[in-house]
Amino acid sequence: MQFSLWLALVGAGTLISFTPGAGAIFTMSNSLNSGFRRSIWGILGQQLALVIHIVIVALGVGVLVSNSPLIFNIIRYAGAAYLVYLGIRQFLHKPDLDKEKVDDRRDEPALSMFQRGVWVNLLNPKAIVFFLAFMPQFIRPDQPLLQQYVVLTATVLAIDIMVMWFFFALAARSFQRFTHNEHGQKVLNRIFGCLFVAVGILLAVIH
């Protein structure tokens, strides 16, 4: 991949990663509940989902999904339902100032956070359609394809990890002062719960 083309990829990938969405909300929620450092596990789960999306598009399955309203809608509504479920669970979560229970919540197994991250991004067929439109702009068919896909994937993942961890996860730390009392916890739970539900509804209704 030419350096100028790679720079364009970096610019486009950065703008895309900074666009608020389910992944950003999920990352901020994890940072609040489990801490900045441990939020990386959810972020890594999201990256695995992105790799799967890229592979799907590279293999041509993305064309099938984008051209089949039934398949697309099944995945779209499943993803929307999962986000709404996460939002309702967050909204109804009772404030808890018991230090031991708070520590338990902060000690959620890394695998659990990783799996939730995978599902948040995987159940988003729009990502497949997006990569279907995005990737061809940076792939040159007259050059070795595998090398180009590796560079594209590594670049997109590196950018997304940095933006999610060093921007959205860090941004959540500014809300931590609200977690020290019951009212603050309730407000944050309802805010993030509503955000999850809102993104889920948008995913379901916006075509």
Side-chain angles (χ1 to χ4, degrees):
M1 182 178 291
Q2 296 179 344
F3 184 67
S4 58
L5 187 62
W6 181 77
L7 286 179
L9 173 63
V10 170
T14 301
L15 288 175
I16 293 162
S17 292
F18 271 111
T19 303
I25 297 170
F26 175 74
T27 297
M28 294 179 73
S29 178
N30 277 343
S31 182
L32 275 173
N33 292 327
S34 301
F36 168 73
R37 292 184 179 179
R38 301 195 72 248
S39 67
I40 188 62
W41 293 110
I43 295 172
L44 292 178
Q46 293 180 70
Q47 305 317 306
L48 176 58
L50 290 183
V51 171
I52 294 173
H53 283 310
I54 292 174
V55 171
I56 288 174
V57 172
L59 293 176
V61 180
V63 177
L64 172 63
V65 173
S66 63
N67 290 331
S68 173
L70 177 61
I71 296 176
F72 181 85
N73 284 329
I74 288 175
I75 302 176
R76 179 162 65 94
Y77 288 125
Y82 183 67
L83 290 176
V84 170
Y85 161 74
L86 289 179
I88 293 174
R89 189 177 70 171
Q90 183 82 26
F91 189 92
L92 297 177
H93 184 76
K94 295 181 179 180
D96 194 345
L97 298 178
D98 186 305
K99 186 178 184 304
E100 291 185 1
K101 292 183 178 180
V102 170
D103 288 341
D104 288 340
R105 190 166 65 247
R106 294 180 66 88
D107 290 335
E108 178 187 0
L111 180 59
S112 173
M113 297 175 66
F114 182 87
Q115 290 174 335
R116 289 194 295 118
V118 172
W119 286 114
V120 164
N121 265 4
L122 193 61
L123 291 175
N124 183 5
K126 290 185 182 296
I128 298 178
V129 178
F130 167 76
F131 278 117
L132 192 62
F134 176 79
M135 289 172 57
Q137 312 302 320
F138 302 98
I139 298 297
R140 297 294 178 263
D142 57 331
Q143 299 177 12
L145 292 178
L146 180 59
Q147 180 182 357
Q148 294 182 77
Y149 279 120
V150 169
V151 172
L152 183 147
T153 302
T155 301
V156 169
L157 296 191
I159 292 172
D160 200 57
I161 289 173
M162 288 189 290
V163 171
M164 287 295 164
W165 206 25
F166 293 109
F167 181 77
F168 288 111
L170 274 177
R173 299 183 69 177
S174 62
F175 295 107
Q176 284 184 338
R177 65 181 182 275
F178 295 106
T179 65
H180 300 305
N181 62 77
E182 182 175 338
H183 176 70
Q185 286 187 19
K186 184 180 293 185
V187 169
L188 284 179
N189 286 337
R190 290 181 175 177
I191 288 175
F192 280 96
C194 289
L195 287 174
F196 270 119
V197 171
V199 171
I201 293 175
L202 287 175
L203 180 63
V205 302
I206 294 179
H207 297 275

